[in-house]
Amino acid sequence: FVYEVTNLDDSGDGSLRAAITASNADGGPSHITFASNLPPGSINLSTRLPALTEDGTSIDGSFLVVTPTPSSGPVPGIAVVGMAGEPALEISGHDIEIRGLSLQSAGSGILLDSMSTNAHIVGNYIGVGLDGSTMASNSGVGVDVNGSGHTIDGNVISDNGDDGIVVQTGASGITITGNTIGATADGKKELIAVADGTEPAGNTGGGIRALGDLVIGGTAEGQGNFIVSNGDSGILLMGTGGSVHDVSIINNDIGTDSLGEGTGGNDSDGITVIDTFNVTIGGSGGAGNRIRSNGGDGVSIQGVTSTGVRVSSNSIANNDGLGISRSNGAETLVSPPTLMLDGNTLSGMATAG
């Protein structure tokens, strides 16, 4: 089934709301597109959109290219302006794809609920306007992740009122690649346009907060995330009772600009690991992260259950705290595997480490 959105109305024939309602009822995979003659613009919601429940549904606004944002491919052309306290979009089915939308001014940008699996969130602006450089904040989390098997790739997730991405307790098999988290799409700048000038583009909370299992980044071209200027850690792994384990953090820029000049640090640590086990940070073959100019430690490992943490072949420099630190019980562990450090480049630390 194919449904074409022909106007920017909140409801009625030809609206996005009508297309979602029809796709939820048709009993099969559906593709929701936007008419080629529809100009870029905003859909202003007066009530919450229906959750997407039918398996295999996709929404694609990415064929609408907005200038002057530089891009090697299509960028969002339709903004969904949500409501306070509500997600701009909710996904509650399997194999659902959201591509090429600006999701803004809502409680959260996208909610992947506990019933959802294998969603693809690709090439969206979340908390950012259609030009890629103007504030359009959601008051809460940019992407709220429950369920399993989701891929979050190539999005700009900035200026939200909480964390950029939260992977909730019980979520599993999550892959986060190629996202810009805390900067603009236009040249990955650290300042975003507001009515009376500019302000930092970072999310008020951290870049990524993980309470469930995931992979962050990858060695293939474009798979690393760019995580800068956020109000807490760039990446925070926060386990309780073994809830977070087997995490890989690979080939990301955390607290550095795209030219590697060491600007745009996150306010706290580059990476914080709390009571999380079997964590790989970096590695050989292009897997190393660049962790620079953050307000805390480069990598902070905390808690007596933070075991099997491997920090390898990363570039860690110019952070305000230690390059790599252990605390709150992590430093007292003697049983292997506790902490394996090898091949990192450490420089410009405030204190030894």
Side-chain angles (χ1 to χ4, degrees):
F1 302 92
V2 177
Y3 301 98
E4 185 177 66
V5 178
T6 58
N7 59 62
L8 301 178
D9 296 343
D10 174 42
S11 62
D13 292 345
S15 68
L16 176 61
R17 186 183 301 274
I20 293 173
T21 299
S23 70
N24 285 342
D26 64 21
S30 300
H31 186 48
I32 298 173
T33 65
F34 295 84
S36 59
N37 63 347
L38 189 64
S42 299
I43 300 171
N44 294 284
L45 303 180
S46 60
T47 59
R48 181 173 175 169
L49 287 171
L52 288 106
T53 59
E54 186 59 47
D55 298 350
T57 298
S58 65
I59 300 176
D60 188 357
S62 62
F63 70 92
L64 293 165
V65 178
V66 183
T67 57
T69 303
S71 174
S72 59
V75 296
I78 295 293
V80 178
V81 181
M83 304 172 60
E86 303 284 359
L89 282 178
E90 179 179 355
I91 294 174
S92 190
H94 312 297
D95 300 303
I96 290 175
E97 180 175 297
I98 305 298
R99 182 185 293 269
L101 299 177
S102 171
L103 301 165
Q104 52 180 266
S105 303
S108 59
I110 296 180
L111 169 62
L112 300 166
D113 73 19
S114 60
M115 301 296 292
S116 63
T117 62
N118 301 325
H120 288 75
I121 310 302
V122 182
N124 303 281
Y125 292 167
I126 301 173
V128 181
L130 287 174
D131 63 0
S133 60
T134 300
M135 179 182 72
S137 309
N138 298 292
S139 62
V141 172
V143 184
D144 190 349
V145 182
N146 300 268
S148 64
H150 305 309
T151 298
I152 302 168
D153 177 68
N155 305 281
V156 177
I157 306 170
S158 299
D159 207 51
N160 295 287
D162 203 320
D163 301 302
I165 300 172
V166 174
V167 178
Q168 301 286 4
T169 302
S172 63
I174 310 303
T175 302
I176 300 174
T177 53
N179 301 283
T180 295
I181 304 174
T184 66
D186 185 3
K188 295 185 176 179
K189 297 175 183 176
E190 300 157 31
L191 295 176
I192 197 163
V194 296
D196 56 354
T198 59
E199 65 176 39
N203 299 287
T204 301
I208 299 171
R209 177 160 55 100
L211 312 176
D213 299 340
L214 74 165
V215 174
I216 302 173
T219 57
E221 183 177 358
Q223 286 189 327
N225 298 282
F226 181 75
I227 306 171
V228 298
S229 300
N230 296 289
D232 203 330
S233 297
I235 298 171
L236 169 61
L237 308 180
M238 191 163 62
T240 54
S243 62
V244 185
H245 54 85
D246 300 305
V247 176
S248 296
I249 302 174
I250 302 168
N251 186 31
N252 301 285
D253 287 286
I254 304 169
T256 180
D257 66 15
S258 58
L259 300 177
E261 295 174 351
T263 61
N266 299 287
D267 286 358
S268 187
D269 304 319
I271 300 172
T272 306
V273 178
I274 301 175
D275 291 323
T276 300
F277 62 92
N278 294 346
V279 179
T280 298
I281 300 173
S284 60
N289 301 282
R290 295 151 296 281
I291 307 168
R292 303 172 182 165
S293 300
N294 297 287
D297 299 325
V299 179
S300 174
I301 302 164
Q302 305 175 27
V304 295
T305 56
S306 287
T307 61
V309 181
R310 184 181 186 94
V311 185
S312 175
S313 301
N314 301 281
S315 174
I316 305 174
N318 299 324
N319 300 286
D320 287 351
L322 297 171
I324 301 170
S325 72
R326 294 185 293 166
S327 62
N328 297 334
E331 73 277 14
T332 66
L333 295 169
V334 293
S335 300
T338 54
L339 177 63
M340 295 160 281
L341 306 176
D342 60 270
N344 298 289
T345 300
L346 298 164
S347 64
M349 298 300 106
T351 53

